[in-house]
Amino acid sequence: MVKTILVVDDELDIRESVKMILEKNGYKVLTAENGDECLNIIQQKKPDLILLDIMMPGTPVIKVVKKISDIKIAFMSVVRISEARKQGLTEQENIVDFFQKPFNVTDLIDRIELLISD
Amino acid sequence: MDGKKFNLKNLLLSKLSRKITILFLIVGIIVPSFVFYYFYIIINNAAPETLASETEMFLINSVIVIVLILTINAGVIGFLFSRSILKSLKKLYKATKEIEKGNFDVHLEIFTRDEIQELADAFNQTVSTLAKIQEEGKEIDNAKTDFLSITSHELRNPMTPMKAQLQMLEENYFGKLSDKQKKSVMIITRNADRLDKLIADFLDISRIEAARLKFNFRKTDIAQVIKEMVQFMDGYAREKNIKLELNIEKIPVIEADPDRVSQVLGNLINNAIKFSNERCKIEISAKLKNNQILFSVKDYGCGLTPDDQIRIFEPFYQVEGTNHRRHDGTGLGLAICRGIVESQKGKIWVESKPEAGCKFYFTLPLYPVREIEPIKVLFSQKSVIEKKICEEFQTFLGPLGMGEFKELKGKNSITKDDLFRYIDFLIKNYILPQEQGLNFKNRIGKIFCDEKEVINEKLDTFCRFKADEVLIRD
């Protein structure tokens, strides 16, 4: 079955690039511009993984994350993991990985495959 | 209690108070004495032998008593008068001392309605101006650090899709590339990587400057950390046929951040490899010294001039005669090393002679720091060192120090060796007592992170007197 990934990032070019990479590797990709849009989308369709940026306009990500408990989330941010940890962003159980931007394409694909393989 | 006692003693013995009181006493004794003496002469001339000897004695006694009373009065008035001036002066002195400590939160309240009040008003104004300048300085400093941090983050954002697209091209996501296209993409990727490294380094610097650099202190076997790092770097060294020699003395297991130690050590070894010729060796050592672990990395490369040795830790500093561009680096590595080492209250320095290679040292305290302090990485190391040297000159040579320092600086001879030679000259010509000269040398040595102490037997204040004595005999 084709897996669905939701890419949440306020930067269009990043959304587009990640979408291109994932689609090329056989995933179905949804995109959202911010946390609020992300919450709207997952009410209609539940993805297998959310790739979530940390610094975005609108509702702070820490609040968005608290509203999601049954979908795997991987952060993708320029912020370092140590700082994200300090902000208490990595405490939830459904947070499964952290991609440091700028990311490596091969690494991204390998890790995502591992994250959502059955 | 103590403060009050001290004040009273000071007030009674203060030089100004003594001077004014004595002046009033003298005036008080001389003026009435003269007045009475002239009266006596006039009366004696006008009507000689009119007074009986008993009356005369009585008069003389009265005169003595009157003169004494007047003198004491004058003395008391003088003392009170001097006290009123001193009170204001003391306030001014205390306020000045506060400013010296860097506390600009002082305000003088003197309402004498005279020149002293005017002085106090001018003083208050100066203080508020200084406080404003200091405040602005702090704001600018914070703004700089914030700016650095924000821009670095903002710069990393566009890097993300750029690098992603480039990698997609390289991985043939959009079809196979021709050789020329491949080469073009490779060049763009290489430079994008370099730009990204630069941004990451800037982020590190902004963290160091804002004391936001994270240290993860835990029980660490430093010897193991060094061995792993050396093993890792060995691969790069082999490409140039360079041998890495390791010499670790017994080191205790301490609380430290192994990643930061590796980062600094790795950077130094990487530099050593970069600047060594082929088939050389690089010596890495670590030992326990003065409650610190002393690391060193010695290479046999081109070496550094004395000026380079000071400035090499400045960001983007280029050593003359070498081609940094040939060695791909950001020019920020050593500046970051300094930031990491100094954030943990360690020291980093280099000893070198041109054409003889250089030896980098850094120290790590046995106990981790409780609070990370901000370190000014972007500051010119040279000007910081010059400032410190100038201060020592003023301490040891008094007001002359400034002029002497400026003259040496004008001749561009303020490296450690030049300064030591200068101090030797002072000692040889009896301008500076020997023991003080040695002290001077030690202080200068410390500024250059010299670990060797020139023999120094006694404390400074004690030997000054003794040494002067010797000087006079000579």
Side-chain angles (χ1 to χ4, degrees):
Chain A
M1 203 188 91
V2 177
K3 305 269 183 189
T4 313
I5 297 170
L6 172 60
V7 179
V8 191
D9 201 304
D10 57 325
E11 297 236 357
L12 173 70
D13 286 349
I14 295 179
R15 277 200 311 272
E16 282 301 305
S17 297
V18 177
K19 193 178 171 190
M20 281 159 86
I21 296 165
L22 295 177
E23 279 175 347
K24 177 89 184 172
N25 285 278
Y27 296 102
K28 190 169 181 296
V29 181
L30 304 168
T31 56
E33 255 187 69
N34 52 48
D36 302 307
E37 205 186 323
C38 162
L39 290 175
N40 283 337
I41 290 175
I42 58 171
Q43 274 173 3
Q44 294 151 25
K45 190 174 167 28
K46 200 179 136 192
D48 297 282
L49 177 75
I50 302 175
L51 282 177
L52 189 61
D53 186 18
I54 290 178
M55 292 196 295
M56 283 182 298
T59 314
V61 165
I62 183 127
K63 283 186 186 163
V64 175
V65 168
K66 276 188 185 137
K67 288 181 190 162
I68 309 168
S69 57
D70 52 348
I71 307 170
K72 286 179 182 170
I73 298 173
F75 285 119
M76 184 180 246
S77 174
V78 286
V79 176
R80 285 201 184 169
I81 188 161
S82 55
E83 275 167 50
R85 217 176 267 141
K86 207 179 135 207
Q87 287 172 33
L89 280 166
T90 53
E91 280 158 20
Q92 260 168 255
E93 255 179 48
N94 58 331
I95 289 161
V96 288
D97 210 343
F98 191 101
F99 293 99
Q100 172 81 60
K101 277 183 197 166
F103 56 87
N104 179 294
V105 174
T106 325
D107 177 59
L108 180 77
I109 289 304
D110 289 350
R111 269 155 76 183
I112 284 179
E113 201 185 313
L114 214 71
L115 288 177
I116 48 176
S117 62
D118 299 311
Chain B
M1 263 314 264
D2 267 8
K4 260 189 180 171
K5 235 185 197 169
F6 182 71
N7 269 347
L8 192 71
K9 194 182 150 202
N10 244 6
L11 203 67
L12 286 172
L13 295 178
S14 100
K15 279 183 201 152
L16 190 70
S17 170
R18 242 181 335 197
K19 275 184 198 160
I20 292 176
T21 312
I22 289 170
L23 189 78
F24 271 67
L25 278 173
I26 292 169
V27 171
I29 209 165
I30 290 173
V31 171
S33 303
F34 267 100
V35 170
F36 282 115
Y37 180 66
Y38 276 111
F39 263 110
Y40 178 73
I41 290 173
I42 290 164
I43 290 167
N44 240 4
N45 281 348
E49 291 165 30
T50 46
L51 296 172
S53 64
E54 282 164 22
T55 329
E56 200 180 312
M57 273 308 285
F58 173 71
L59 277 178
I60 288 171
N61 280 341
S62 311
V63 164
I64 291 172
V65 171
I66 292 169
V67 167
L68 271 180
I69 291 170
L70 283 177
T71 311
I72 291 167
N73 267 342
V76 170
I77 292 169
F79 177 71
L80 291 176
F81 172 69
S82 69
R83 226 179 68 149
S84 75
I85 297 177
L86 263 183
K87 220 173 134 191
S88 316
L89 278 184
K90 262 196 189 358
K91 277 187 191 168
L92 202 62
Y93 174 76
K94 265 190 196 160
T96 318
K97 277 280 162 197
E98 283 299 309
I99 290 180
E100 196 188 338
K101 280 184 230 156
N103 174 18
F104 292 105
D105 198 20
V106 281
H107 187 81
L108 274 178
E109 284 179 1
I110 295 173
F111 305 107
T112 49
R113 290 194 195 136
D114 54 11
E115 282 84 351
I116 293 183
Q117 189 180 343
E118 279 171 28
L119 177 64
D121 289 343
F123 179 87
N124 283 337
Q125 242 157 23
T126 314
V127 172
S128 64
T129 314
L130 277 176
K132 216 185 274 169
I133 291 171
Q134 196 202 30
E135 193 61 33
E136 275 173 14
K138 268 188 200 157
E139 273 171 23
I140 290 172
D141 207 51
N142 287 342
K144 178 203 70 187
T145 307
D146 285 349
F147 177 78
L148 203 59
S149 167
I150 293 165
T151 36
S152 309
H153 270 128
E154 289 304 311
L155 286 172
R156 278 207 117 173
N157 264 330
M159 282 308 292
T160 309
M162 242 168 84
K163 283 184 78 170
Q165 294 289 343
L166 280 170
Q167 283 174 41
M168 282 150 82
L169 277 172
E170 269 185 332
E171 304 269 327
N172 297 327
Y173 270 59
F174 315 115
K176 212 170 175 322
L177 300 183
S178 72
D179 282 354
K180 277 187 183 163
Q181 285 167 331
K182 249 188 200 160
K183 201 184 167 196
S184 165
V185 170
M186 200 185 75
I187 291 174
I188 302 171
T189 308
R190 199 167 58 206
N191 283 281
D193 285 344
R194 203 171 128 193
L195 193 59
D196 189 43
K197 178 83 175 50
L198 208 56
I199 295 166
D201 279 358
F202 266 128
L203 264 172
D204 263 346
I205 286 181
S206 76
R207 285 195 188 99
I208 292 167
E209 292 219 331
R212 273 194 288 117
L213 196 68
K214 298 277 174 322
F215 285 95
N216 190 4
F217 294 118
R218 54 179 182 268
K219 286 250 174 290
T220 307
D221 183 2
I222 295 290
Q224 191 57 36
V225 173
I226 301 170
K227 277 178 203 155
E228 277 169 19
M229 193 67 227
V230 169
Q231 208 170 21
F232 176 72
M233 296 307 287
D234 202 41
Y236 296 99
R238 261 186 218 158
E239 285 174 21
K240 284 178 85 173
N241 267 321
I242 291 169
K243 207 174 159 227
L244 299 182
E245 279 180 12
L246 188 57
N247 176 25
I248 306 175
E249 285 176 22
K250 217 178 166 201
I251 300 175
V253 172
I254 59 163
E255 289 251 324
D257 184 335
D259 297 334
R260 297 295 179 196
V261 174
S262 300
Q263 193 180 347
V264 176
L265 196 65
N267 210 305
L268 294 182
I269 298 176
N270 190 28
N271 275 348
I273 295 172
K274 262 197 258 174
F275 293 101
S276 284
N277 297 322
E278 286 203 10
R279 281 183 290 280
C280 272
K281 64 172 178 178
I282 292 168
E283 293 159 15
I284 298 130
S285 83
K287 61 181 175 186
L288 191 63
K289 202 179 175 195
N290 301 336
N291 271 331
Q292 290 191 319
I293 295 176
L294 178 71
F295 299 81
S296 74
V297 176
K298 182 169 171 52
D299 68 56
Y300 293 89
C302 50
L304 297 163
T305 64
D307 196 39
D308 288 336
Q309 286 172 42
I310 301 173
R311 303 197 58 190
I312 192 141
F313 296 101
E314 288 173 17
F316 302 120
Y317 181 71
Q318 292 215 3
V319 175
E320 241 171 87
T322 60
N323 188 357
H324 258 305
R325 298 282 163 259
R326 198 180 66 209
H327 312 286
D328 57 343
T330 58
L332 290 167
L334 283 176
I336 291 172
C337 283
R338 182 169 77 84
I340 293 172
V341 170
E342 288 183 2
S343 289
Q344 302 176 82
K345 293 259 184 295
K347 280 187 172 166
I348 185 164
W349 71 98
V350 60
E351 282 176 7
S352 169
K353 286 212 171 79
E355 302 307 320
C358 35
K359 193 170 182 182
F360 281 87
Y361 293 91
F362 72 96
T363 61
L364 180 73
L366 291 187
Y367 301 99
V369 277
R370 292 227 176 88
E371 205 174 311
I372 306 292
E373 275 177 25
I375 305 287
K376 298 239 175 299
V377 180
L378 293 179
F379 253 68
S380 158
Q381 187 68 355
K382 196 181 179 187
S383 61
V384 172
I385 284 182
E386 275 177 10
K387 206 177 129 206
K388 281 188 192 163
I389 296 172
C390 187
E391 275 167 17
E392 293 301 336
F393 263 69
Q394 281 169 314
T395 319
F396 283 91
L397 301 176
L400 282 175
M402 187 69 134
E404 288 291 296
F405 174 75
K406 276 190 179 151
E407 204 182 316
L408 283 176
K409 197 185 159 190
K411 284 187 216 154
N412 202 16
S413 46
I414 46 170
T415 64
K416 197 178 85 189
D417 293 342
D418 290 327
L419 290 172
F420 274 28
R421 227 173 288 132
Y422 170 77
I423 297 168
D424 284 339
F425 169 80
L426 291 182
I427 296 172
K428 215 179 131 202
N429 290 290
Y430 306 115
I431 296 166
L432 207 63
Q434 191 178 9
E435 286 178 64
Q436 253 205 79
L438 293 183
N439 249 319
F440 194 2
K441 266 190 175 179
N442 278 338
R443 300 287 279 272
I444 295 289
K446 283 221 174 89
I447 293 174
F448 288 94
C449 286
D450 201 344
E451 49 167 335
K452 284 170 241 123
E453 283 252 324
V454 186
I455 316 125
N456 180 15
E457 288 160 348
K458 279 160 200 150
L459 284 170
D460 180 21
T461 43
F462 214 74
C463 45
R464 196 175 293 168
F465 177 59
K466 240 180 92 191
D468 280 342
E469 238 181 326
V470 175
L471 229 162
I472 293 159
R473 266 186 226 137
D474 276 345

